[in-house]
Structures are given as structure tokens and as C-alpha cells.
Amino acid sequence: MEATGRLERLALCELAAAGFTVALANPQRVRSYAKALGKAKIDRLDAQVLARFGEATQLVPYPVPEALTLQLMDVVDRRRQLVEIMVAEKNRLSRASSTVRQDISEHIEQL
């Protein structure tokens, strides 16, 4: 399967728990591979292209992290999201009109 910004995590864990071996592919590499084959990477063809890509590149199985590691990854992801929001709000505050400055300041305080 393709790594899709952590959206693949649930499927990866469920498949591994069911006894399947799973490999993760870089989406950009799969797109380039599909383009080299002259195929558009559309949903209908995804499985075929992914299967051919996996065979051609000899993808290695992805080691499924333990539950505690997955939880830590979730917390780290959430922290990164909050930091990004904080930076965006500080940037907005620096050029905000007086009408919304208080609201932005309160949001920064909450964060």
C-alpha cells in the first residue's frame, strides 16, 4: 500500500493483525513508476500499478510498530499540528486588523 500521510496506519495495523505482510510504498515513486509505464494513476488502476511497482522494486515488509509506539507517533503528530497552527496564528496576528486581534490573541493563549 502507499504511505498516505498516516491515513494508511489503521489499514496497516489491521492487516498485520490478520497475519498479512504489508509493504509501504512512497506515493511519489509509485506515480513516477505509473507515468513511466504510460498509465494514469487513477483509483481503478491503483491496485494493478501498486502490485507491479512492488514486484519491480522488491519492496520490503514494513515492521508494524507496537501499540505504545503508535500512540507516541499520534502525540507527536498532534504536537506538530498544534505548532503549525500556533505559527499561523502568530503570523495572522502580526498583520490583523484591530477587529480580530483580540480573537487571535485568545486563540494563541488557548494553544
Side-chain angles (χ1 to χ4, degrees), residues 64-101:
V64 179
E66 295 180 18
L68 190 57
T69 302
L70 289 170
Q71 290 174 1
L72 180 60
M73 290 167 70
D74 286 342
V75 171
V76 169
D77 284 347
R78 184 60 182 147
R79 182 186 183 284
R80 179 189 46 76
Q81 293 165 358
L82 292 171
V83 167
E84 288 174 3
I85 293 168
M86 178 72 87
V87 168
E89 288 289 31
K90 286 180 178 180
N91 288 338
R92 285 184 195 101
L93 183 62
S94 70
R95 56 185 182 273
S97 68
S98 58
T99 308
V100 294
R101 281 177 100 36

Side-chain angles (χ1 to χ4, degrees), residues 10-107:
L10 178 60
L12 172 74
C13 291
E14 293 294 324
L15 288 167
F20 290 94
T21 302
V22 181
L24 290 179
N26 179 312
Q28 184 60 44
R29 291 185 64 206
V30 176
R31 260 191 302 283
S32 296
Y33 181 79
K35 188 182 276 188
L37 293 176
K39 299 202 180 280
K41 192 172 170 305
I42 57 175
D43 288 342
R44 193 170 48 84
L45 297 175
D46 264 358
Q48 295 169 357
V49 171
L50 280 168
R52 287 182 68 181
F53 177 81
E55 289 173 353
T57 61
Q58 303 278 312
L59 287 176
V60 295
Y62 184 82
V64 179
E66 295 180 18
L68 190 57
T69 302
L70 289 170
Q71 290 174 1
L72 180 60
M73 290 167 70
D74 286 342
V75 171
V76 169
D77 284 347
R78 184 60 182 147
R79 182 186 183 284
R80 179 189 46 76
Q81 293 165 358
L82 292 171
V83 167
E84 288 174 3
I85 293 168
M86 178 72 87
V87 168
E89 288 289 31
K90 286 180 178 180
N91 288 338
R92 285 184 195 101
L93 183 62
S94 70
R95 56 185 182 273
S97 68
S98 58
T99 308
V100 294
R101 281 177 100 36
Q102 180 63 34
D103 182 65
I104 295 171
S105 294
E106 288 173 8
H107 191 221

